[in-house]
Each structure stands twice: as C-alpha cells, then as structure tokens.
Amino acid sequence: MNIQKRIKSLRTESGLRQSELGKAVGVSAQVISNIERGYTKPSTELVNQCAKYFGVPADYLLGRTTEKYSTTEQKEAPALSAKIKDRMDQLQLNPSDLITKSEISEDSFEDIMTGTVIPGIDVAGRLSKALDTSIDYLVGNSEYSCAIASEDEQDIILRYRQLSKKGKRIFLGMMEKMEEEKTE
C-alpha cells in the first residue's frame, strides 16, 4: 500500500473529511485530495505531521512497515513490556508462542519488548487476546490482569459490585470454602 492509500485509509478510519485533516496538519483540503489521488507527493514535514496526528510512524505512511505502532515516551514503554512479560510468566508462554498466538512479527515483538515502540490498537488487541487479558491492563489503565471470559463471569462481577461490604466478605468466604472443598 502506498502513501496516498495509507493517508486516505487512516483519514476515513478516523471519520475525517479532507478539510478536517488538512486543517489539523496545516494544509488545504485540496492538498490532501491531491496527495490521496497521487497527484502530489507530500513533503517530509507533512508526512511527519500526518504520522504524529494519526499516531503512527512515518515509516508506516511511507510503506516501509506494515505495523501501525508509534514511538512511545521512554517512561511508558518499560511498563508495557513488563506487563507483557509478567503475563507471559503467569501463562507460562515463551516469546515464540506469544508471537504465533498474536500473529505479530518477531521484529515487532522485539521492538515492543525493548521499549522502542508501543503497539497500536490492532497489535495491542492481538497481544491482549493472546495473553488472555485486556488492553487496559497492558497499557496500565487497570491493575487487574484477568479478562472477562464469559457472560457468567461478567454477571458474577456485576453482582459482586452491587453487594454491601458485609455481602462481599460473605461471598469471598464462600469462594474460599469452595476452593478448600475442591482440594480435598
């Protein structure tokens, strides 16, 4: 896919008109139209502005990579890779298993784990599914690594949240009793 198709694809996925993208990156709608139709090649500055606006690397726009990841601040990347590593340890997954399950390239996996890049929503979604967790956990918006796997689990969680403090203690006591009976 070439640059004009990638810009158009990102623009339409975002629900933007050419004029809205043009305004956001400092050019006219006509310039965006000309780029999307292949009549004009964007300047390096415009490629960088579009990449920053859409949160993708300029290499993605230029067709040098197929991954829609973006460079991250150094403080965020180690936390993401640590969460991935912790979850891999919990599930006893090795890197090659995770790469296979998530259908990402080895290079992308290495970039994510070394903190060079943070995955876009498409790769983060595949990683979270392969790790049986949520994207929120991976990016640090939730401290809980468990993903809800069924409607029954969701019902239990929603009902638990509605219980009083005393009801929650009783519920947890019942769960512990069930665990003890299970091991006997």
Side-chain angles (χ1 to χ4, degrees):
M1 189 182 289
N2 54 26
I3 191 166
Q4 61 258 31
K5 288 181 182 176
R6 291 206 172 176
I7 289 175
K8 183 175 184 176
S9 175
L10 289 168
R11 179 183 60 77
T12 57
E13 284 172 16
S14 300
L16 296 172
R17 292 190 300 268
Q18 291 173 337
S19 60
E20 294 169 318
L21 176 57
K23 184 175 182 180
V25 297
V27 297
S28 69
Q30 187 61 50
V31 170
I32 299 298
S33 175
N34 288 343
I35 290 168
E36 288 181 358
R37 291 185 291 161
Y39 298 157
T40 304
K41 293 212 183 272
S43 67
T44 303
E45 181 182 335
L46 184 55
V47 169
N48 288 332
Q49 288 171 323
C50 287
K52 183 177 179 183
Y53 180 79
F54 289 118
V56 299
D59 282 345
Y60 173 77
L61 291 178
L62 296 169
R64 294 180 185 146
T65 181
T66 59
E67 297 292 332
K68 289 185 196 177
Y69 55 76
S70 60
T71 310
T72 185
E73 293 179 31
Q74 289 302 321
K75 63 181 181 168
E76 295 171 2
L80 175 71
S81 59
K83 296 260 185 170
I84 291 171
K85 182 161 179 11
D86 287 346
R87 198 66 184 138
M88 287 172 61
D89 291 344
Q90 290 170 359
L91 298 173
Q92 298 178 349
L93 278 176
N94 62 44
S96 62
D97 290 339
L98 180 58
I99 289 166
T100 301
K101 276 182 84 172
S102 62
E103 300 175 349
I104 63 173
S105 70
E106 275 187 55
D107 290 340
S108 292
F109 179 77
E110 287 300 318
D111 287 344
I112 292 165
M113 296 307 288
T114 59
T116 309
V117 297
I118 191 166
I121 194 71
D122 53 339
V123 174
R126 291 195 307 256
L127 282 169
S128 67
K129 184 175 181 184
L131 292 168
D132 192 27
T133 192
S134 67
I135 293 174
D136 283 334
Y137 172 75
L138 292 181
V139 299
N141 291 337
S142 171
E143 60 188 84
Y144 304 107
S145 64
C146 296
I148 298 172
S150 70
E151 222 174 287
D152 291 338
E153 287 182 24
Q154 182 175 331
D155 289 344
I156 291 167
I157 291 168
L158 292 174
R159 288 190 177 128
Y160 178 82
R161 288 179 179 166
Q162 294 171 350
L163 293 173
S164 66
K165 190 172 185 174
K166 181 180 177 183
K168 289 177 181 177
R169 285 195 304 262
I170 292 169
F171 177 80
L172 292 174
M174 289 171 37
M175 295 295 290
E176 287 175 9
K177 186 176 178 183
M178 288 172 52
E179 275 295 310
E180 290 169 4
E181 290 173 3
K182 182 177 153 185
T183 59
E184 293 176 359

PDB file of all heavy atoms in Angstrom, residues 116-142:
ATOM      1  N   THR A 116      11.289   0.177  22.404  1.00  0.00           N
ATOM      2  CA  THR A 116      11.496   1.075  21.275  1.00  0.00           C
ATOM      3  C   THR A 116      10.175   1.631  20.769  1.00  0.00           C
ATOM      4  O   THR A 116      10.099   2.785  20.362  1.00  0.00           O
ATOM      5  CB  THR A 116      12.209   0.332  20.117  1.00  0.00           C
ATOM      6  OG1 THR A 116      13.358  -0.310  20.638  1.00  0.00           O
ATOM      7  CG2 THR A 116      12.601   1.278  19.013  1.00  0.00           C
ATOM      8  N   VAL A 117       9.144   0.797  20.785  1.00  0.00           N
ATOM      9  CA  VAL A 117       7.829   1.203  20.289  1.00  0.00           C
ATOM     10  C   VAL A 117       6.737   0.701  21.218  1.00  0.00           C
ATOM     11  O   VAL A 117       6.940  -0.207  22.025  1.00  0.00           O
ATOM     12  CB  VAL A 117       7.547   0.665  18.862  1.00  0.00           C
ATOM     13  CG1 VAL A 117       8.519   1.220  17.860  1.00  0.00           C
ATOM     14  CG2 VAL A 117       7.556  -0.837  18.857  1.00  0.00           C
ATOM     15  N   ILE A 118       5.584   1.312  21.083  1.00  0.00           N
ATOM     16  CA  ILE A 118       4.385   0.853  21.768  1.00  0.00           C
ATOM     17  C   ILE A 118       3.411   0.435  20.672  1.00  0.00           C
ATOM     18  O   ILE A 118       3.308   1.105  19.649  1.00  0.00           O
ATOM     19  CB  ILE A 118       3.797   1.950  22.682  1.00  0.00           C
ATOM     20  CG1 ILE A 118       2.730   1.397  23.593  1.00  0.00           C
ATOM     21  CG2 ILE A 118       3.295   3.123  21.896  1.00  0.00           C
ATOM     22  CD1 ILE A 118       2.356   2.329  24.728  1.00  0.00           C
ATOM     23  N   PRO A 119       2.722  -0.687  20.836  1.00  0.00           N
ATOM     24  CA  PRO A 119       1.864  -1.155  19.745  1.00  0.00           C
ATOM     25  C   PRO A 119       0.636  -0.281  19.558  1.00  0.00           C
ATOM     26  O   PRO A 119       0.143   0.320  20.498  1.00  0.00           O
ATOM     27  CB  PRO A 119       1.464  -2.564  20.191  1.00  0.00           C
ATOM     28  CG  PRO A 119       1.584  -2.539  21.674  1.00  0.00           C
ATOM     29  CD  PRO A 119       2.701  -1.575  21.987  1.00  0.00           C
ATOM     30  N   GLY A 120       0.164  -0.244  18.317  1.00  0.00           N
ATOM     31  CA  GLY A 120      -1.101   0.412  18.031  1.00  0.00           C
ATOM     32  C   GLY A 120      -2.235  -0.472  18.510  1.00  0.00           C
ATOM     33  O   GLY A 120      -2.017  -1.580  19.001  1.00  0.00           O
ATOM     34  N   ILE A 121      -3.438  -0.002  18.353  1.00  0.00           N
ATOM     35  CA  ILE A 121      -4.597  -0.720  18.864  1.00  0.00           C
ATOM     36  C   ILE A 121      -4.749  -2.096  18.225  1.00  0.00           C
ATOM     37  O   ILE A 121      -5.155  -3.050  18.880  1.00  0.00           O
ATOM     38  CB  ILE A 121      -5.887   0.132  18.712  1.00  0.00           C
ATOM     39  CG1 ILE A 121      -7.035  -0.433  19.535  1.00  0.00           C
ATOM     40  CG2 ILE A 121      -6.282   0.248  17.250  1.00  0.00           C
ATOM     41  CD1 ILE A 121      -6.880  -0.262  20.993  1.00  0.00           C
ATOM     42  N   ASP A 122      -4.368  -2.223  16.951  1.00  0.00           N
ATOM     43  CA  ASP A 122      -4.504  -3.519  16.283  1.00  0.00           C
ATOM     44  C   ASP A 122      -3.565  -4.558  16.894  1.00  0.00           C
ATOM     45  O   ASP A 122      -3.984  -5.664  17.230  1.00  0.00           O
ATOM     46  CB  ASP A 122      -4.274  -3.387  14.771  1.00  0.00           C
ATOM     47  CG  ASP A 122      -2.962  -2.705  14.409  1.00  0.00           C
ATOM     48  OD1 ASP A 122      -2.385  -1.985  15.250  1.00  0.00           O
ATOM     49  OD2 ASP A 122      -2.507  -2.902  13.268  1.00  0.00           O
ATOM     50  N   VAL A 123      -2.319  -4.215  17.104  1.00  0.00           N
ATOM     51  CA  VAL A 123      -1.347  -5.142  17.685  1.00  0.00           C
ATOM     52  C   VAL A 123      -1.635  -5.339  19.173  1.00  0.00           C
ATOM     53  O   VAL A 123      -1.571  -6.463  19.679  1.00  0.00           O
ATOM     54  CB  VAL A 123       0.094  -4.646  17.452  1.00  0.00           C
ATOM     55  CG1 VAL A 123       1.106  -5.518  18.178  1.00  0.00           C
ATOM     56  CG2 VAL A 123       0.392  -4.611  15.954  1.00  0.00           C
ATOM     57  N   ALA A 124      -1.981  -4.274  19.883  1.00  0.00           N
ATOM     58  CA  ALA A 124      -2.306  -4.399  21.309  1.00  0.00           C
ATOM     59  C   ALA A 124      -3.500  -5.326  21.509  1.00  0.00           C
ATOM     60  O   ALA A 124      -3.525  -6.122  22.457  1.00  0.00           O
ATOM     61  CB  ALA A 124      -2.592  -3.024  21.910  1.00  0.00           C
ATOM     62  N   GLY A 125      -4.470  -5.250  20.620  1.00  0.00           N
ATOM     63  CA  GLY A 125      -5.628  -6.142  20.702  1.00  0.00           C
ATOM     64  C   GLY A 125      -5.239  -7.594  20.520  1.00  0.00           C
ATOM     65  O   GLY A 125      -5.708  -8.472  21.255  1.00  0.00           O
ATOM     66  N   ARG A 126      -4.369  -7.856  19.550  1.00  0.00           N
ATOM     67  CA  ARG A 126      -3.927  -9.241  19.332  1.00  0.00           C
ATOM     68  C   ARG A 126      -3.087  -9.739  20.511  1.00  0.00           C
ATOM     69  O   ARG A 126      -3.209 -10.886  20.934  1.00  0.00           O
ATOM     70  CB  ARG A 126      -3.156  -9.346  18.019  1.00  0.00           C
ATOM     71  CG  ARG A 126      -4.053  -9.145  16.801  1.00  0.00           C
ATOM     72  CD  ARG A 126      -3.421  -9.593  15.509  1.00  0.00           C
ATOM     73  NE  ARG A 126      -2.112  -9.032  15.238  1.00  0.00           N
ATOM     74  CZ  ARG A 126      -1.878  -8.054  14.369  1.00  0.00           C
ATOM     75  NH1 ARG A 126      -2.873  -7.527  13.682  1.00  0.00           N
ATOM     76  NH2 ARG A 126      -0.656  -7.612  14.166  1.00  0.00           N
ATOM     77  N   LEU A 127      -2.239  -8.867  21.058  1.00  0.00           N
ATOM     78  CA  LEU A 127      -1.434  -9.254  22.217  1.00  0.00           C
ATOM     79  C   LEU A 127      -2.316  -9.542  23.430  1.00  0.00           C
ATOM     80  O   LEU A 127      -2.127 -10.533  24.123  1.00  0.00           O
ATOM     81  CB  LEU A 127      -0.417  -8.159  22.561  1.00  0.00           C
ATOM     82  CG  LEU A 127       0.823  -8.085  21.686  1.00  0.00           C
ATOM     83  CD1 LEU A 127       1.589  -6.794  21.971  1.00  0.00           C
ATOM     84  CD2 LEU A 127       1.715  -9.299  21.906  1.00  0.00           C
ATOM     85  N   SER A 128      -3.282  -8.651  23.685  1.00  0.00           N
ATOM     86  CA  SER A 128      -4.138  -8.850  24.858  1.00  0.00           C
ATOM     87  C   SER A 128      -4.954 -10.130  24.727  1.00  0.00           C
ATOM     88  O   SER A 128      -5.129 -10.864  25.702  1.00  0.00           O
ATOM     89  CB  SER A 128      -5.045  -7.641  25.098  1.00  0.00           C
ATOM     90  OG  SER A 128      -5.999  -7.503  24.077  1.00  0.00           O
ATOM     91  N   LYS A 129      -5.424 -10.428  23.535  1.00  0.00           N
ATOM     92  CA  LYS A 129      -6.182 -11.670  23.328  1.00  0.00           C
ATOM     93  C   LYS A 129      -5.284 -12.885  23.551  1.00  0.00           C
ATOM     94  O   LYS A 129      -5.666 -13.838  24.223  1.00  0.00           O
ATOM     95  CB  LYS A 129      -6.779 -11.689  21.925  1.00  0.00           C
ATOM     96  CG  LYS A 129      -7.660 -12.885  21.665  1.00  0.00           C
ATOM     97  CD  LYS A 129      -8.322 -12.823  20.314  1.00  0.00           C
ATOM     98  CE  LYS A 129      -9.227 -14.033  20.118  1.00  0.00           C
ATOM     99  NZ  LYS A 129      -9.820 -14.045  18.784  1.00  0.00           N
ATOM    100  N   ALA A 130      -4.082 -12.849  22.999  1.00  0.00           N
ATOM    101  CA  ALA A 130      -3.144 -13.964  23.156  1.00  0.00           C
ATOM    102  C   ALA A 130      -2.724 -14.143  24.614  1.00  0.00           C
ATOM    103  O   ALA A 130      -2.435 -15.258  25.052  1.00  0.00           O
ATOM    104  CB  ALA A 130      -1.917 -13.749  22.276  1.00  0.00           C
ATOM    105  N   LEU A 131      -2.704 -13.043  25.370  1.00  0.00           N
ATOM    106  CA  LEU A 131      -2.312 -13.087  26.780  1.00  0.00           C
ATOM    107  C   LEU A 131      -3.513 -13.231  27.719  1.00  0.00           C
ATOM    108  O   LEU A 131      -3.361 -13.180  28.940  1.00  0.00           O
ATOM    109  CB  LEU A 131      -1.521 -11.823  27.145  1.00  0.00           C
ATOM    110  CG  LEU A 131      -0.145 -11.716  26.494  1.00  0.00           C
ATOM    111  CD1 LEU A 131       0.426 -10.318  26.673  1.00  0.00           C
ATOM    112  CD2 LEU A 131       0.798 -12.773  27.065  1.00  0.00           C
ATOM    113  N   ASP A 132      -4.705 -13.373  27.149  1.00  0.00           N
ATOM    114  CA  ASP A 132      -5.937 -13.529  27.918  1.00  0.00           C
ATOM    115  C   ASP A 132      -6.074 -12.425  28.968  1.00  0.00           C
ATOM    116  O   ASP A 132      -6.268 -12.676  30.156  1.00  0.00           O
ATOM    117  CB  ASP A 132      -6.006 -14.906  28.574  1.00  0.00           C
ATOM    118  CG  ASP A 132      -7.404 -15.206  29.125  1.00  0.00           C
ATOM    119  OD1 ASP A 132      -8.386 -14.652  28.599  1.00  0.00           O
ATOM    120  OD2 ASP A 132      -7.508 -15.981  30.111  1.00  0.00           O
ATOM    121  N   THR A 133      -5.933 -11.202  28.506  1.00  0.00           N
ATOM    122  CA  THR A 133      -6.066 -10.044  29.378  1.00  0.00           C
ATOM    123  C   THR A 133      -6.691  -8.906  28.574  1.00  0.00           C
ATOM    124  O   THR A 133      -7.074  -9.087  27.427  1.00  0.00           O
ATOM    125  CB  THR A 133      -4.702  -9.639  29.983  1.00  0.00           C
ATOM    126  OG1 THR A 133      -4.918  -8.693  31.030  1.00  0.00           O
ATOM    127  CG2 THR A 133      -3.753  -9.075  28.949  1.00  0.00           C
ATOM    128  N   SER A 134      -6.773  -7.743  29.178  1.00  0.00           N
ATOM    129  CA  SER A 134      -7.351  -6.593  28.483  1.00  0.00           C
ATOM    130  C   SER A 134      -6.252  -5.641  28.024  1.00  0.00           C
ATOM    131  O   SER A 134      -5.149  -5.631  28.583  1.00  0.00           O
ATOM    132  CB  SER A 134      -8.317  -5.840  29.411  1.00  0.00           C
ATOM    133  OG  SER A 134      -7.599  -5.252  30.482  1.00  0.00           O
ATOM    134  N   ILE A 135      -6.579  -4.847  27.038  1.00  0.00           N
ATOM    135  CA  ILE A 135      -5.648  -3.802  26.597  1.00  0.00           C
ATOM    136  C   ILE A 135      -5.423  -2.834  27.750  1.00  0.00           C
ATOM    137  O   ILE A 135      -4.308  -2.363  27.965  1.00  0.00           O
ATOM    138  CB  ILE A 135      -6.186  -3.071  25.349  1.00  0.00           C
ATOM    139  CG1 ILE A 135      -6.212  -4.016  24.145  1.00  0.00           C
ATOM    140  CG2 ILE A 135      -5.343  -1.840  25.032  1.00  0.00           C
ATOM    141  CD1 ILE A 135      -6.862  -3.436  22.897  1.00  0.00           C
ATOM    142  N   ASP A 136      -6.481  -2.546  28.510  1.00  0.00           N
ATOM    143  CA  ASP A 136      -6.343  -1.638  29.650  1.00  0.00           C
ATOM    144  C   ASP A 136      -5.265  -2.108  30.620  1.00  0.00           C
ATOM    145  O   ASP A 136      -4.502  -1.307  31.153  1.00  0.00           O
ATOM    146  CB  ASP A 136      -7.671  -1.481  30.389  1.00  0.00           C
ATOM    147  CG  ASP A 136      -8.637  -0.575  29.667  1.00  0.00           C
ATOM    148  OD1 ASP A 136      -8.174   0.293  28.898  1.00  0.00           O
ATOM    149  OD2 ASP A 136      -9.854  -0.714  29.867  1.00  0.00           O
ATOM    150  N   TYR A 137      -5.189  -3.411  30.866  1.00  0.00           N
ATOM    151  CA  TYR A 137      -4.143  -3.929  31.755  1.00  0.00           C
ATOM    152  C   TYR A 137      -2.763  -3.701  31.140  1.00  0.00           C
ATOM    153  O   TYR A 137      -1.845  -3.231  31.816  1.00  0.00           O
ATOM    154  CB  TYR A 137      -4.364  -5.424  32.027  1.00  0.00           C
ATOM    155  CG  TYR A 137      -3.207  -6.046  32.771  1.00  0.00           C
ATOM    156  CD1 TYR A 137      -3.029  -5.808  34.130  1.00  0.00           C
ATOM    157  CD2 TYR A 137      -2.274  -6.844  32.123  1.00  0.00           C
ATOM    158  CE1 TYR A 137      -1.953  -6.348  34.821  1.00  0.00           C
ATOM    159  CE2 TYR A 137      -1.198  -7.391  32.797  1.00  0.00           C
ATOM    160  CZ  TYR A 137      -1.042  -7.138  34.148  1.00  0.00           C
ATOM    161  OH  TYR A 137       0.033  -7.670  34.823  1.00  0.00           O
ATOM    162  N   LEU A 138      -2.621  -4.009  29.858  1.00  0.00           N
ATOM    163  CA  LEU A 138      -1.312  -3.881  29.210  1.00  0.00           C
ATOM    164  C   LEU A 138      -0.798  -2.449  29.205  1.00  0.00           C
ATOM    165  O   LEU A 138       0.391  -2.217  29.387  1.00  0.00           O
ATOM    166  CB  LEU A 138      -1.360  -4.419  27.776  1.00  0.00           C
ATOM    167  CG  LEU A 138      -1.545  -5.922  27.613  1.00  0.00           C
ATOM    168  CD1 LEU A 138      -1.556  -6.298  26.138  1.00  0.00           C
ATOM    169  CD2 LEU A 138      -0.479  -6.706  28.362  1.00  0.00           C
ATOM    170  N   VAL A 139      -1.687  -1.478  29.001  1.00  0.00           N
ATOM    171  CA  VAL A 139      -1.234  -0.090  28.932  1.00  0.00           C
ATOM    172  C   VAL A 139      -1.263   0.616  30.280  1.00  0.00           C
ATOM    173  O   VAL A 139      -0.960   1.789  30.382  1.00  0.00           O
ATOM    174  CB  VAL A 139      -2.022   0.724  27.874  1.00  0.00           C
ATOM    175  CG1 VAL A 139      -1.836   0.135  26.499  1.00  0.00           C
ATOM    176  CG2 VAL A 139      -3.496   0.842  28.239  1.00  0.00           C
ATOM    177  N   GLY A 140      -1.645  -0.114  31.338  1.00  0.00           N
ATOM    178  CA  GLY A 140      -1.590   0.442  32.678  1.00  0.00           C
ATOM    179  C   GLY A 140      -2.843   1.152  33.149  1.00  0.00           C
ATOM    180  O   GLY A 140      -2.816   1.811  34.185  1.00  0.00           O
ATOM    181  N   ASN A 141      -3.958   1.013  32.434  1.00  0.00           N
ATOM    182  CA  ASN A 141      -5.202   1.640  32.874  1.00  0.00           C
ATOM    183  C   ASN A 141      -5.965   0.787  33.876  1.00  0.00           C
ATOM    184  O   ASN A 141      -6.945   1.236  34.446  1.00  0.00           O
ATOM    185  CB  ASN A 141      -6.111   1.949  31.681  1.00  0.00           C
ATOM    186  CG  ASN A 141      -5.551   3.054  30.826  1.00  0.00           C
ATOM    187  OD1 ASN A 141      -4.756   3.871  31.277  1.00  0.00           O
ATOM    188  ND2 ASN A 141      -5.959   3.081  29.576  1.00  0.00           N
ATOM    189  N   SER A 142      -5.544  -0.460  34.052  1.00  0.00           N
ATOM    190  CA  SER A 142      -6.164  -1.360  35.013  1.00  0.00           C
ATOM    191  C   SER A 142      -5.065  -2.181  35.664  1.00  0.00           C
ATOM    192  O   SER A 142      -4.117  -2.606  35.006  1.00  0.00           O
ATOM    193  CB  SER A 142      -7.157  -2.301  34.316  1.00  0.00           C
ATOM    194  OG  SER A 142      -7.598  -3.303  35.213  1.00  0.00           O
TER     195      SER A 142
END
